[in-house]
Amino acid sequence: AICMTARCEMAEYVKRRQKPVKEDARVTKTKERLRESLLDLMEDKPLADISITALCASAHVNRNTFYAHYGSPADVLDELMADLGSAVAHSLAVTRRHGSVAWLTELCENVQENQHAYEMLFATSDGRTYIEREILSAYKLVMDSTAERIRRNPRHADAFAFAAGGSMALLERWVSEGAQGSPEDMACLINRLCKTGMSGIFDED
């Protein structure tokens, strides 16, 4: 059975990624402009250096409208990443029954459908940090048996870092080449390479 801590983490993870009630079309358009402008600005400077004034000017949105939805540029990025991740929430919840390939396939489909956004995120250090954090968080949630091994042997935390970093590198290369090919094939490749790389550590037990 999944331990209580894991259940709480899973519930919180899924809750964070549930899509909100359908927004007004004007609000959706405003948020899209802010997101696109933020990604454009992040190509030239870190997220921490982007001011609300600069973001609003780039998106042609007034400050009052901005504050009606966000408190800072970081909130815009947080919401973008939450929306990108919402498509894989259900798969995360059922991965214990269907295997990690199911979640990875959902992730690859999401990347393919939102190729431009991921391409822009991979081009910035802040965007890469967000993607890697989300992937690492997902791996920790869906690999319960491995998480238990980490509690017994902290060295196995290296395996999670390896899996997250390797997955991100493969996704980045895939996106840079136009995200061609089947998401299922990419998911199987990521899963196979990660399992092969991590088996060396786990075989030591």
Short mmCIF file of all heavy atoms in Angstrom, two decimals, residues 12 15 25 59 72 122 130:
data_model
loop_
_atom_site.label_atom_id
_atom_site.label_comp_id
_atom_site.label_asym_id
_atom_site.label_seq_id
_atom_site.Cartn_x
_atom_site.Cartn_y
_atom_site.Cartn_z
N GLU A 12 -1.88 16.37 -3.21
CA GLU A 12 -1.49 17.76 -3.38
C GLU A 12 -1.00 18.01 -4.80
O GLU A 12 -1.31 19.03 -5.41
CB GLU A 12 -0.38 18.12 -2.38
CG GLU A 12 0.14 19.56 -2.50
CD GLU A 12 -0.94 20.61 -2.26
OE1 GLU A 12 -1.93 20.29 -1.55
OE2 GLU A 12 -0.81 21.73 -2.78
N LYS A 15 -3.97 18.05 -7.11
CA LYS A 15 -4.77 19.26 -6.85
C LYS A 15 -4.14 20.47 -7.50
O LYS A 15 -4.83 21.31 -8.09
CB LYS A 15 -4.88 19.48 -5.34
CG LYS A 15 -5.69 20.72 -4.97
CD LYS A 15 -5.75 20.88 -3.45
CE LYS A 15 -6.52 22.14 -3.07
NZ LYS A 15 -6.57 22.32 -1.60
N ALA A 25 -13.08 34.43 -22.15
CA ALA A 25 -12.18 34.46 -23.31
C ALA A 25 -11.20 35.62 -23.23
O ALA A 25 -10.03 35.50 -23.62
CB ALA A 25 -12.99 34.53 -24.60
N ALA A 59 3.50 42.96 -22.98
CA ALA A 59 2.25 42.26 -23.27
C ALA A 59 1.10 43.22 -23.61
O ALA A 59 0.01 42.77 -23.97
CB ALA A 59 1.85 41.41 -22.08
N SER A 72 3.17 38.60 -9.25
CA SER A 72 4.53 38.80 -9.73
C SER A 72 4.72 38.03 -11.03
O SER A 72 3.92 37.14 -11.36
CB SER A 72 5.54 38.29 -8.69
OG SER A 72 5.48 36.87 -8.62
N PHE A 122 13.05 25.73 -22.41
CA PHE A 122 14.37 25.10 -22.46
C PHE A 122 15.47 26.11 -22.80
O PHE A 122 16.64 25.89 -22.47
CB PHE A 122 14.39 23.98 -23.50
CG PHE A 122 13.88 22.66 -22.99
CD1 PHE A 122 12.85 21.99 -23.64
CD2 PHE A 122 14.45 22.07 -21.87
CE1 PHE A 122 12.40 20.77 -23.18
CE2 PHE A 122 13.99 20.84 -21.39
CZ PHE A 122 12.97 20.19 -22.05
N TYR A 130 12.50 24.99 -13.83
CA TYR A 130 11.11 24.62 -13.57
C TYR A 130 10.81 23.24 -14.13
O TYR A 130 10.18 22.41 -13.47
CB TYR A 130 10.16 25.65 -14.19
CG TYR A 130 9.81 26.79 -13.28
CD1 TYR A 130 10.73 27.79 -12.99
CD2 TYR A 130 8.56 26.88 -12.70
CE1 TYR A 130 10.42 28.84 -12.15
CE2 TYR A 130 8.22 27.93 -11.86
CZ TYR A 130 9.16 28.91 -11.59
OH TYR A 130 8.84 29.94 -10.75
#
